[in-house]
Amino acid sequence: MKHSLNLFAQSLLGSLRDLLPIILVIAFFQLVVLQQTPENLLQAIVGLVFVVLGLTFFIFGLEQGLFPIGESMAHAFASKGSVFWLLVFAFALGFGTTIAEPALIAVADEASEVAAEAGLIGNHQDAMEAYADGLRLTVALSVGFAIALGVLRILLDWSIQYIIMIGYVLVIVLTGFAPDEIIGIAYDSGGVTTSTITVPLVTALGIGLASSISGRNPMLDGFGLIAFASLFPIIFVLAYGMIF
Amino acid sequence: MQLLQDFPVLLLATFFDILPIAAIIFGFQFLVIRKPVTNLKQVLTGMVYVLVGITFFLMGLEQALFPVGRSMAEQLTNPEFLQSVRITVGELQWQDYYWVYIFAFAIGAGTTIAEPALIAVAIKANEVSGGAIGIWGLRLAVALGVAVGLAIGSYRIVVGAPMHYFIIVGYGIVVIQTFYSPKLIVPLAYDSGGVTTSTVTVPLVAALGLGLAETVPGRSPLIDGFGLIAFASLCPIISVMAYAQLSEYRDKRNMKKYIEKDEYYSKQKDKD
């Protein structure tokens, strides 16, 4: 008990150190550049304490829960040898974590406003909602596809560079044809898909797979799933913008 | 007191966010793998920790960082403030927004250091590389990338240049670097683009982008306000590969020095 309390205090200190840069940046800008004290200082301090606590719990839980389950599932799939179920799992993980992602919901709503404003779709509630839902579905499908493709890459030992480069070329070509209004949103949608829970799980899955298949190097083959999950949504959303 | 009332609500909301993921994991575990989870109790406790951690984290963000960050983005892009710190005469030029670029840089670096997803990847990379990749080395390299990315991104919003030129140049750099970087870092570098932009960075950065696009004359928030996140995902790829290239270069140079020293001593010995 004493040991784990000690450990907790240590991670608490670590989280505090992680937050120090933000606190310094904000303090500097408030006091030196803008020359005012922030409103609700007390609320801000309470909030910071919450952030520190949150980070501490999160990292604690990461090592105990998310990393082990991700890796043990990867090992189990590898020893079971069923490629089909592994790919279904990868797709479900990507799709399931993305469709409910709050950041994506926010971006999709804003995107529907842009599209309505630009006259791409009718400027009324129904059309905008349909557009936003379509966009969310597109991004979620693309992340599912990306994770499944990334897993397939680990299994078949494809080189990651070439897939990424083909992806880049596709992005550039599609940018030339997509309507201007969708481009910024499409590029951003790659960034918003990978949430705080998805990243550790997907990383553990990749590394677990790469370390349980002989002849794979976890460093070379284990990483890269997140890269796919950030690249493919760009392509899919650009295509979505062109179809609409 | 408001906090105490908010906590269970947010805890429940976070729980429902995590539910589909938990359903997928346990669904596959029981239906497809059909084996009991090793250390089920520990895994479940860990997940509860993650749930509580994210809830606290989000509440803290809502209470502390977002209001302050948003109001700061507004104040820094406020025309009155810009008039008081400007360095050119006549109409506002892009140089007059220098505090915005510095703020974008600093907030990018600061939020990335605290990003939970990046910490997770750094822990794994350190473990897998047998310590060759330092947790802090990776985190600092990514933070620097995000910082530079956001500074460039806000410059783009101010001057109103088309987004895709920047992205295409960035992709070009990534492709060239890929050929010259140590092979082992490449996949990790590609991944670091995606991990930087989750819980902390996205809302703050979005506020900055929209604030800028609203106040700079001739910019539309709907079109120019987007795109900062894309910069924050692209530049870390470049900075992480650069970090690996630099440490490889340093190692090689040290090795060379070492060999030269060795030869020098052995010659000395011969003379004696």
Side-chain angles (χ1 to χ4, degrees):
Chain A
M1 193 62 211
K2 204 176 170 201
H3 176 70
S4 61
L5 267 182
N6 229 338
L7 220 64
F8 191 79
Q10 259 177 24
S11 357
L12 211 61
L13 270 181
S15 310
L16 204 59
R17 191 191 50 203
D18 291 340
L19 276 177
L20 205 60
I22 308 187
I23 299 174
L24 288 180
V25 167
I26 290 180
F28 172 78
F29 272 85
Q30 289 287 357
L31 302 178
V32 180
V33 183
L34 297 166
Q35 294 178 350
Q36 47 183 232
T37 47
E39 308 154 36
N40 300 329
L41 191 61
L42 187 74
Q43 187 195 345
I45 291 173
V46 173
L48 276 177
V49 173
F50 272 56
V51 173
V52 170
L53 273 178
L55 259 184
T56 311
F57 272 112
F58 176 78
I59 292 168
F60 233 62
L62 202 67
E63 309 242 16
Q64 292 215 335
L66 287 187
F67 278 158
I69 186 104
E71 284 185 27
S72 82
M73 288 193 83
H75 288 302
F77 274 119
S79 61
K80 199 174 186 324
S82 162
V83 175
F84 171 76
W85 280 114
L86 179 59
L87 291 181
V88 172
F89 175 69
F91 182 87
L93 196 63
F95 185 86
T97 54
T98 310
I99 195 87
E101 171 68 37
L104 177 64
I105 297 175
V107 168
D109 285 346
E110 276 171 73
S112 70
E113 277 174 38
V114 178
E117 200 113 327
L120 290 176
I121 54 171
N123 198 349
H124 49 86
Q125 204 59 36
D126 286 352
M128 274 161 67
E129 254 170 39
Y131 188 84
D133 286 347
L135 196 64
R136 264 174 71 192
L137 203 64
T138 310
V139 175
L141 277 175
S142 68
V143 175
F145 173 75
I147 307 261
L149 184 74
V151 164
L152 200 63
R153 174 194 89 85
I154 298 176
L155 295 178
L156 299 179
D157 204 14
W158 291 337
S159 162
I160 184 170
Q161 288 95 310
Y162 298 107
I163 305 180
I164 293 282
M165 281 174 205
I166 294 169
Y168 281 174
V169 170
L170 269 175
V171 169
I172 292 170
V173 170
L174 286 176
T175 301
F177 296 101
D180 282 348
E181 291 79 12
I182 199 87
I183 292 174
I185 297 164
Y187 286 174
D188 272 4
S189 63
V192 298
T193 51
T194 42
S195 77
T196 317
I197 306 171
T198 323
V199 168
L201 268 179
V202 165
T203 306
L205 176 72
I207 289 175
L209 269 179
S211 50
S212 47
I213 302 173
S214 65
R216 299 287 181 278
N217 177 337
M219 198 62 210
L220 259 181
D221 303 301
F223 291 100
L225 289 178
I226 296 164
F228 284 10
S230 344
L231 181 62
F232 282 91
I234 307 183
I235 299 171
F236 276 53
V237 172
L238 283 173
Y240 180 76
M242 285 162 64
I243 293 165
F244 258 84
Chain B
M1 277 309 98
Q2 187 62 33
L3 279 178
L4 285 179
Q5 283 170 12
D6 286 351
F7 191 77
V9 178
L10 197 63
L11 191 68
L12 207 66
T14 316
F15 176 73
F16 280 113
D17 280 347
I18 298 184
L19 204 60
I21 304 170
I24 290 168
I25 289 180
F26 289 108
F28 272 86
Q29 184 76 43
F30 293 126
L31 298 177
V32 181
I33 296 179
R34 287 188 194 160
K35 257 190 256 168
V37 186
T38 28
N39 290 331
L40 182 65
K41 213 174 137 196
Q42 189 201 334
V43 167
L44 286 179
T45 341
M47 285 192 156
V48 172
Y49 277 147
V50 167
L51 180 69
V52 172
I54 291 184
T55 311
F56 267 123
F57 192 75
L58 289 179
M59 267 189 90
L61 286 183
E62 297 258 328
Q63 294 279 326
L65 280 180
F66 292 160
V68 175
R70 244 176 253 138
S71 86
M72 283 173 75
E74 273 165 29
Q75 285 166 358
L76 285 173
T77 50
N78 187 336
E80 275 171 40
F81 170 79
L82 287 169
Q83 287 295 346
S84 70
V85 296
R86 60 184 313 180
I87 41 178
T88 60
V89 283
E91 274 184 44
L92 277 176
Q93 303 288 317
W94 65 265
Q95 296 95 326
D96 295 326
Y97 290 86
Y98 61 97
W99 275 121
V100 172
Y101 310 138
I102 298 174
F103 180 69
F105 184 92
I107 209 80
T111 50
T112 308
I113 292 288
E115 182 64 63
L118 176 61
I119 301 177
V121 169
I123 292 173
K124 268 287 158 239
N126 179 267
E127 202 181 292
V128 169
S129 67
I133 292 168
I135 295 184
W136 275 98
L138 183 68
R139 283 170 73 185
L140 288 177
V142 175
L144 188 70
V146 174
V148 172
L150 289 186
I152 298 176
S154 14
Y155 164 77
R156 182 199 76 86
I157 294 180
V158 170
V159 298
M163 165 107 212
H164 41 272
Y165 294 149
F166 289 86
I167 297 290
I168 290 172
V169 171
Y171 281 173
I173 298 176
V174 170
V175 169
I176 294 169
Q177 268 185 312
T178 302
F179 287 110
Y180 294 100
S181 296
K183 281 266 160 321
L184 284 176
I185 199 79
V186 171
L188 178 63
Y190 289 161
D191 268 7
S192 18
V195 299
T196 53
T197 44
S198 53
T199 340
V200 199
T201 325
V202 170
L204 271 184
V205 165
L208 182 70
L210 288 175
L212 259 181
E214 269 163 22
T215 45
V216 179
R219 299 290 163 274
S220 138
L222 290 175
I223 294 179
D224 299 296
F226 291 98
L228 277 180
I229 296 167
F231 282 93
S233 332
L234 180 62
C235 291
I237 305 183
I238 298 174
S239 68
V240 169
M241 284 202 267
Y243 161 71
Q245 280 171 304
L246 279 178
S247 26
E248 193 189 46
Y249 172 74
R250 209 183 45 207
D251 288 350
K252 265 189 194 153
R253 213 183 44 186
N254 286 348
M255 192 56 106
K256 217 168 133 193
K257 258 191 205 153
Y258 185 77
I259 293 170
E260 276 167 7
K261 230 190 224 165
D262 214 40
E263 280 170 354
Y264 175 78
Y265 283 127
S266 51
K267 266 181 201 158
Q268 289 277 323
K269 249 185 202 163
D270 289 348
K271 270 185 202 162
D272 293 343

